[in-house]
Every structure is written in structure tokens, then in C-alpha cells.
Amino acid sequence: MAFANDTATFVLFCLLLLCGFGGARDPFACDPNNATTANFPFCKVSTPVSDRVKDLLGRLTLQEKIRLLVNNAAAVPRLGIKGYEWWSEALHGVSNVGPGTKFGGAFPGATSFPQVITTAASFNATLWEAIGRVVSDEARAMYNGGAAGLTYWSPNVNIFRDPRWGRGQETPGEDPVLAGTYAASYVKGLQGNNGERLKVAACCKHFTAYDLDNWNGVDRFHFNAKVSKQDIKDTFNVPFKMCVKEGHVASVMCSYNQVNGVPTCADPNLLRKTVRGQWKLNGYIVSDCDSVGVYYNTQHYTSTPEEAAADAIKAGLDLDCGPFLAQHSEDAVKSGLLKEADVNSALANTLTVQMRLGMYDGQPSAQPFGNLGPKDVCTPSHQELALEAARQGIVLLKNRGASLPLSHRRHRTVAVIGPNSNVTVTMIGNYAGVACGYTSPLQGMGNYAKTIHQMGCEDVACADDKLFSGAIEAARQADATVLVMGLDQSIEAEFKDRTGLFLPGRQQDLVSKVSVASKGPTVLVLMSGGAIDVSFAKNDPRIAAIVWAGYPGQAGGAAIADVLYGTTNPEGKLPMTWYPQDYVSNLPMTDMAMRSSPKRNYPGRTYRFYQGPVVYPFGYGLSYTNFVEIIAGAPKVVAVPLDGRHHSGNTTVSGKGIKVNHAKCNKLSVGLQVDVKNTGSKDGTHTMLVFSTPPAGSWAPRKQLVAFTKVHVPARSQQRVGLNIHVCKFLSVVDRSGTRRIPIGVHDLHVGNVKHSVSLQASTFGVIKS
């Protein structure tokens, strides 16, 4: 999310100055001490929100309404309404990326959690919601202190479709169910559970099929994503649907790109029909920043700016991040392209969210969460959760001969080497704010052992071998060697997609030479958002262990050291496939197809559809102990009842699949009982993933994630885990026409190394049909 060009940035900056924006206002409106405005009906907290919104809309002039359609909403002094900046960010902690949040004074920083791709690797929905609660506590505290807003354009739930995508780090990974579960969980944590009242308003972005920034001369501002109905329904829209329907998110953001020739922010089928109509969004739809301007100025989608403004609002856009709607909507109304009623509909959605946030309830101190302040930011418990999140997200990829954990007795001196060995800001990735404090990998290792530090490379680009000799000598002297390598925002970022999957520059050369010289075990720790082809290290017996830390947040160095020395038993699993470099060599990022096509030598994308060689598969991750799963109970046959209103002809049961909307789905689930045994000598938490392989069919994934959970199992004991897999949600697939169906026949459920087959059979009036 950034402005498409310098002109747009300048225009918005000027508008901010004109509005005199200086952070959140206290109070936003309805000051009880102002007798002129306090008695307006829209200020009456006891009045239903819909009536308050209607009253306020009736008092605004057209010009006042127009200036409320943009992120830096103008003040309406005669009604006691102060200006408001909608744009704040909280991807993995309160961020200062948007102008709505300012650090300094009583709020010098906020808790900076691991980047989303790292916490996704925990596969822990409870953790994700807990992080959301902490972030919203700190956001409310900063709002109360006049340093932040209450509308946060987070989380990013796009599918990590291609490993080169620079923003993949912001996402929960490549699987739609994982991404959707993350979305719903994090949003619930942010928004709270107080009915219609919102703690803060979250936003799921960027809708939809948005996963290219700048690759091979194609950028997101010009890209037309050509996507089949099948892939839209089956992959790209799944996390957004779960975010709206299960997370009850207050906002959805449309993206820069076009989908099948139509800008997403001008597409009524996507916005008005799908998000608001089918999914019943209770909230507002906002554009990515300057998106409306982009589709007029850059994509040349309309011939006049007034048409662009009218198309956006009529499509269902309620708020423009950027100045475009404020500049052109009034003329669109005057020229008859847009009705004032359309503007009213857009404002009703944004004003309703503000009312639900309490922004028209007077003093924040008198509201729920009004007692939160500086004392509630960067608290010890918040920072401990950031550390715990990093521990849970770290993935052990290789451990030759149980080289890890390191021994306090045998590994007293450790060489800590690499361009990421003593980093701080790198650990928090992008869309981060100002952290409470940092523990670098070098500092973390220093808590366990005497360290010898050598960079080896000046930075992650690692352009030469000038610093190799010092690193090699350090490895010769130490009892163990830890190489902290990988990427940073200079390699993968917004506006920057990667060109390949290898370690940058001469990093691989450094790792190999150091591992030859090391007298003790060599451990490779990787920081990155995207996958890296480290086949050389996987296959090199001199490299004892490989650990992926993602971007582990402010406490990342402590978490890495805790894992390496065994204070923490690793439990993370990869949320994305790690491909070999050959995978992307002839694969354009611009090809959106998910399914493989042998006819055109197309490999397919993500573990659901790609069947070729991998470096490490989706869901992979080792532990310091050994877990064995046994299916203790599960049905062999499940009847799928039809709803009685449809016949079981071609419309309902076609290609051996029942249309989901023709089945009685409410409580239809497959119950699994799984015994998890810890056969090792160390306590550990097992991350259990359940996959389904549907009956063979050209439109079905080869397998798909249908459930996941965590279970702590002490050494040499076992725990029973119960799971219910919703048939219509998770055992369904999407056919070529975009219709979701439940395949009839045998579905194989995979839990670790065990498989259970369950037969789904169509049923009318409870009688299983042959």
C-alpha cells in the first residue's frame, strides 16, 4: 500500500496540511461540554446506530459529504466534527506506515510481533487472536492519547501464490484455509467480542488476486490478473470470505490490479454483489491508496475522472485512500453520472463503523477501553507474547544426527556469523512500527554462550568475499558455528519481487566455506519472508542443521537462541512450499493459473496443485522429539443430505459432486479422534495438520488442508485430540464453472503418516442412495 506516483503523494500531502491533520482528535465528535453540538440526535448513544447515521447524513451538505469520502476526512466544525485520518496499519503490531499513527512522546514505540508469515507457521489460531488483542489494546491506548486512529488496514490475507512475491512475507502463506483462519482469528482479536461495538476496526486486504508487485517490467498498477472462475472461488477469495463471514471484519480493501479486465475497485460484481451482497459485509469497502486514481490515470479505464469516481462509488466503494473522490465526486453528481443517494450509501457504511467505534460518543475516557494509556503499551506481558510468537513460528528444517539442541556443556563458545547475525530492524519485516526494544541473534546467543562475531558479508547482497577470512577463522576457534543468513527488505519488499530463489550474492559460498572450517556443528539460520532454495545446505553433511526464522519480530534473537539451545522445542511448520530454483526459471509471475497443465508445460502452484520436486514441502517442520499419530476413531461412511428442494439430477449431483448450496450443511461434519504419542525423551508441542485427498477428478486439488490444531504432549506419553471437519466448508471443491461441490465417493484423510478413508454418499430423507 503506497502511492502510485509522486504527484499523488504530493496532492495528498497538501490536503493533509490543509486539513491541519495532526493525529487523532480527542474527542472525535459530540463533546458533552459543547452545548451547541452535544444535543444533536446523532450524538445520543442510546439511539440505534442506524438512526444516528441517518440523522447525521441529513445534516451534511453535498460538499461536506464529498470531503468525508477520503482517508483524511475533513472537519465539519458547525456540527462539532473534527477531521479524521482513516489510514493506520497494524499488520503485526501498531505501525507508523500510515499517517494516522505517530510515535513519540508518551508512545515511543509499540510491541512489534513477528512478521505474519512467521506467526502463520505456528498454525495456532489461539495465538493469532491473542496477538490481535494485544495490538488493539495498544492501538486503543494510543488513540486515547491522541497518537493513533481506530481504523487499521490490516491484515493482508492474499494467497502467497508465487515464492518471488515481495509482499508474501505479510501474508499467512499459500493455503486458503490457513489464510482464512488466520484472518478470522486476528480480526476477532483486533475488533473484540462486544457485539456491534468495535474495539478497533480491522480490514482484510487486498481484494482480490493481488500477488504481484513489480516483476520483469510488469507492476501492480498496470497488471490485469486473468483468473478463472474456478481459481477465484477455490483459492483467491476464500480468505476474504472467511474474514467477512467468520471474522465479521469491519472493512475490506480492494486492490490496484484489474481482474479479467476490470479494476477491482470499480467492479460491482466483486464489491457490491460478492463482498456486500453474498458475504454480508457489515462495514465499509476502502480502496488501496490511490487505486481510483490509478485506474483512471495509469490503466485508462475511464475517459474522464468523473466517470472513474462514479464507477467506484456505484461499484460499492465507500472510502478512497487518496484524494481522487474528494476532487471529482461532486462534478460526477452535478453531471448526472452519480446520485447524491449513492454518496449517502457510501457514507452510511463509513459513519456506521465510526459509530460502532464510539467516535460519536464524546470523551474517549468515558467509553469502553477509555482507561488504556501509555502504561498499556510495551508491557512485559505483551513483549513476552512477542517472544512466544517467535518461538512458535520458528521451523526446524534439518537436524542431522540430532546436532541440535546445542549443549551448554560442549558448546560454550559459538561463532555467530552472517549479514543477519546482529540485525534488529530486519527482524520486524515491513509494515512495522517502532519496536519496544530488540534482541538480535548475536545478543540472544550471548545469553547462552561466549560469542565470536564476524559478519562474513557486509550486507545480505554479499557482493564480495572481503570478510570471509574473519568468518572462517571464527568458525575454526568456536565449539559451534551459527550462520544467520537470508534476505531483508532490500531483496523482497513492497514494489520489489525477487528474481530468483537462491541466497543473494556470495552467501552460499560463505556458508560452504565456513562449514568446511568449523570444528563444531554448523547451524544455518535463515531470515526471510519467501522460500529459499538451500538444496546445497540440505544435502551437505557438514551443515548439521537448518532453521527458518522468517522475520521473527523484536524478540527474534532471543527466540532463535532458545530454539538452538533447546529451551524451546521447535513446533513451527512451513506455511508455504520451498521450491527449487528450477521451478521459477520458466514460470511467469503473471500466469495466475493454480492448476498444472502438462499440455503447456505449466507446473501448477502451491502444494495443492504442484506435484514436482521441492526443497521442503508445505507443512514441513521437525521437532527435538518424535510424535506418532494414530487415528482412534472416525466414520467410514457419511451421508450428505440434500435439502429436499432440489432433485438429484445434473443441477445437484453432477460429475459425482453435490452442489454445496443444495446440501443440508449446517452441522454436517466428519469427527476424528486422534491419539498423539510423544515417543521421544523431550516434552513438546505437536502441530497437527489434517489433509484431504478428494476423489480423483480434473478439478480437484491433489490434497488440501482441512484442519489443524496444537497439542502439548509430555515425553513418553500421549494425548487424544478431537476434530470436527465441516463437510461443506472443507471437503468440497470447485468445478470449472466456479460452482462449489461436495465430491461423492472416497475422501482420504491424512494425519501425519496415517490415512483414513471416508466415503461421502448422497442421501435423501436420511436414506443413503446407492
Side-chain angles (χ1 to χ4, degrees):
M1 183 180 327
F3 285 93
N5 53 62
D6 291 337
T7 303
T9 305
F10 175 75
V11 169
L12 183 66
F13 178 70
C14 293
L15 285 169
L16 290 171
L17 289 178
L18 287 170
C19 289
F21 173 70
R25 268 52 174 196
D26 180 6
F28 178 79
C30 302
D31 183 351
N33 298 317
N34 185 341
T36 308
T37 60
N39 292 319
F40 286 130
F42 68 79
C43 291
K44 302 298 181 186
V45 179
S46 58
T47 302
V49 166
S50 58
D51 292 341
R52 297 173 72 189
V53 169
K54 185 177 180 180
D55 176 74
L56 176 53
L57 279 173
R59 297 174 186 276
L60 296 168
T61 67
L62 176 61
Q63 290 74 23
E64 289 168 340
K65 292 173 184 176
I66 297 300
R67 285 296 296 122
L68 296 178
L69 292 173
V70 290
N71 63 288
N72 57 318
V76 186
R78 66 185 185 84
L79 299 179
I81 298 172
K82 311 291 177 62
Y84 178 67
E85 176 55 65
W86 284 83
W87 181 5
S88 290
E89 303 277 357
L91 184 71
H92 50 111
V94 179
S95 167
N96 57 356
V97 170
T101 304
K102 306 290 182 185
F103 287 111
F107 302 99
T111 308
S112 196
F113 288 90
Q115 182 58 288
V116 176
I117 196 70
T118 308
T119 46
S122 72
F123 284 84
N124 188 344
T126 304
L127 173 67
W128 302 331
E129 187 169 344
I131 293 172
R133 283 195 298 271
V134 165
V135 174
S136 58
D137 275 351
E138 298 195 352
R140 266 283 174 176
M142 292 180 69
Y143 168 75
N144 292 342
L150 287 179
T151 45
Y152 288 84
W153 293 343
S154 306
N156 178 345
V157 298
N158 293 117
I159 296 296
F160 199 170
R161 173 185 62 98
D162 189 293
R164 294 165 289 191
W165 187 31
R167 299 188 74 177
Q169 60 181 290
E170 301 174 29
T171 77
E174 70 182 40
D175 181 80
V177 169
L178 170 62
T181 306
Y182 175 88
S185 302
Y186 187 60
V187 165
K188 287 176 183 175
L190 286 176
Q191 295 189 165
N193 56 3
N194 190 13
E196 282 292 289
R197 170 74 72 164
L198 294 168
K199 189 178 180 186
V200 304
C203 173
C204 278
K205 64 185 185 185
H206 314 79
F207 188 68
T208 182
Y210 171 83
D211 47 25
L212 177 149
D213 266 63
N214 195 339
W215 176 83
N216 204 27
V218 180
D219 67 43
R220 59 188 179 168
F221 305 125
H222 296 84
F223 182 49
N224 175 24
K226 296 177 182 176
V227 193
S228 69
K229 290 180 180 178
Q230 186 176 36
D231 285 339
I232 277 279
K233 189 85 169 276
D234 180 55
T235 297
F236 297 109
N237 282 5
V238 171
F240 292 95
K241 182 179 181 180
M242 292 176 70
C243 185
V244 174
K245 291 182 72 72
E246 297 175 27
H248 306 292
V249 75
S251 176
V252 169
M253 175 182 285
C254 51
S255 53
Y256 288 117
N257 56 290
Q258 297 184 359
V259 172
N260 299 326
V262 183
T264 64
C265 293
D267 191 338
N269 286 320
L270 287 175
L271 306 187
R272 194 172 294 283
K273 180 180 175 183
T274 302
V275 176
R276 194 168 297 284
Q278 294 175 8
W279 301 345
K280 309 297 182 190
L281 173 71
N282 180 15
Y284 69 98
I285 299 174
V286 61
S287 74
D288 203 342
C289 293
D290 209 28
S291 286
V292 184
V294 164
Y295 76 65
Y296 171 67
N297 292 304
T298 305
Q299 298 174 5
H300 309 295
Y301 181 70
T302 64
S303 55
T304 69
E306 292 77 20
E307 288 173 335
D311 280 2
I313 293 174
K314 289 194 291 188
L317 188 73
D318 303 311
L319 184 71
D320 181 15
C321 177
F324 199 90
L325 289 188
Q327 295 168 337
H328 302 292
S329 295
E330 186 174 357
D331 287 341
V333 172
K334 289 178 178 177
S335 62
L337 293 168
L338 192 64
K339 296 176 181 176
E340 187 169 353
D342 297 323
V343 176
N344 289 347
S345 294
L347 284 182
N349 293 324
T350 55
L351 292 173
T352 295
V353 168
Q354 289 182 323
M355 295 278 187
R356 293 172 64 199
L357 286 162
M359 288 182 170
Y360 288 82
D361 294 355
Q363 297 285 353
S365 59
Q367 299 176 27
F369 319 111
N371 61 329
L372 295 172
K375 70 182 188 311
D376 301 295
V377 180
C378 290
T379 67
S381 64
H382 291 182
Q383 296 193 64
E384 180 62 30
L385 186 63
L387 173 59
E388 179 58 25
R391 288 171 177 151
Q392 290 193 27
I394 290 173
V395 183
L396 178 62
L397 297 174
K398 177 183 178 180
N399 193 16
R400 185 172 177 267
S403 301
L404 291 179
L406 298 175
S407 163
H408 296 270
R409 182 173 52 83
R410 296 193 311 275
H411 306 118
R412 296 182 179 181
T413 302
V414 178
V416 182
I417 296 167
N420 282 335
S421 59
N422 197 29
V423 294
T424 53
V425 174
T426 295
M427 295 192 300
I428 61 177
N430 71 354
Y431 279 79
V434 178
C436 309
Y438 294 102
T439 304
S440 73
L442 178 62
Q443 290 171 315
M445 293 303 295
N447 291 330
Y448 286 94
K450 178 184 176 183
T451 57
I452 307 171
H453 181 230
Q454 289 288 331
M455 289 286 286
C457 303
E458 289 184 3
D459 51 36
V460 294
C462 201
D464 55 56
D465 62 357
K466 292 177 184 177
L467 303 179
F468 279 23
S469 59
I472 291 167
E473 183 56 33
R476 288 194 180 114
Q477 296 174 22
D479 301 321
T481 298
V482 175
L483 286 142
V484 192
M485 314 297 286
L487 315 178
D488 64 14
Q489 302 304 306
S490 71
I491 304 294
E492 55 177 357
E494 188 168 14
F495 292 122
K496 188 187 290 284
D497 295 323
R498 293 158 68 196
T499 56
L501 303 184
F502 289 133
L503 284 167
R506 300 194 61 178
Q507 283 196 43
Q508 179 173 328
D509 192 21
L510 174 65
V511 173
S512 296
K513 287 179 175 174
V514 165
S515 68
V516 170
S518 180
K519 75 173 185 180
T522 299
V523 179
L524 175 60
V525 176
L526 298 165
M527 280 193 201
S528 73
I532 304 172
D533 183 350
V534 287
S535 302
F536 80 97
K538 178 183 178 183
N539 299 324
D540 187 343
R542 292 168 300 194
I543 297 171
I546 304 174
V547 170
W548 176 69
Y551 293 122
Q554 65 175 49
I560 289 168
D562 287 348
V563 167
L564 296 191
Y565 269 92
T567 303
T568 293
N569 191 344
E571 59 192 80
K573 305 284 187 184
L574 290 179
M576 71 295 202
T577 304
W578 282 38
Y579 303 93
Q581 170 64 28
D582 286 351
Y583 172 75
V584 300
S585 295
N586 298 304
L587 179 62
M589 276 191 75
T590 49
D591 195 322
M592 300 294 293
M594 297 301 296
R595 287 157 173 79
S596 60
S597 174
K599 287 182 180 177
R600 60 188 188 100
N601 198 29
Y602 185 73
R605 296 185 181 276
T606 78
Y607 80 95
R608 296 169 71 225
F609 304 106
Y610 169 71
Q611 298 190 57
V614 300
V615 181
Y616 292 107
F618 173 89
Y620 184 81
L622 303 174
S623 170
Y624 293 150
T625 190
N626 185 53
F627 295 104
V628 175
E629 289 141 320
I630 301 165
I631 295 178
K636 293 183 178 179
V637 178
V638 171
V640 180
L642 303 180
D643 66 7
R645 292 174 296 167
H646 303 91
H647 300 290
S648 56
N650 288 337
T651 58
T652 295
V653 183
S654 174
K656 296 186 178 179
I658 300 173
K659 283 186 175 181
V660 164
N661 61 358
H662 290 182
K664 291 181 179 178
C665 288
N666 191 18
K667 294 181 180 178
L668 184 62
S669 64
V670 174
L672 274 185
Q673 296 289 319
V674 181
D675 287 334
V676 180
K677 289 185 178 181
N678 181 346
T679 61
S681 59
K682 292 182 172 64
D683 296 353
T685 297
H686 180 51
T687 303
M688 189 170 78
L689 310 183
V690 183
F691 295 93
S692 166
T693 299
S698 58
W699 30 276
R702 61 187 205 84
K703 70 172 184 175
Q704 57 188 9
L705 185 70
V706 295
F708 56 88
T709 191
K710 311 278 280 191
V711 56
H712 184 77
V713 189
R716 298 187 180 89
S717 68
Q718 77 175 42
Q719 298 282 348
R720 178 161 291 188
V721 179
L723 290 168
N724 284 306
I725 301 166
H726 195 283
V727 170
C728 295
K729 279 184 190 174
F730 301 124
L731 298 184
S732 59
V733 297
V734 177
D735 67 18
R736 289 191 186 92
S737 69
T739 301
R740 185 169 285 278
R741 297 179 182 273
I742 305 162
I744 295 304
V746 176
H747 293 244
D748 291 330
L749 300 178
H750 304 267
V751 186
N753 295 321
V754 296
K755 181 180 81 171
H756 174 80
S757 298
V758 58
S759 177
L760 301 186
Q761 300 185 12
S763 166
T764 305
F765 306 115
V767 179
I768 295 176
K769 300 177 69 177
S770 59

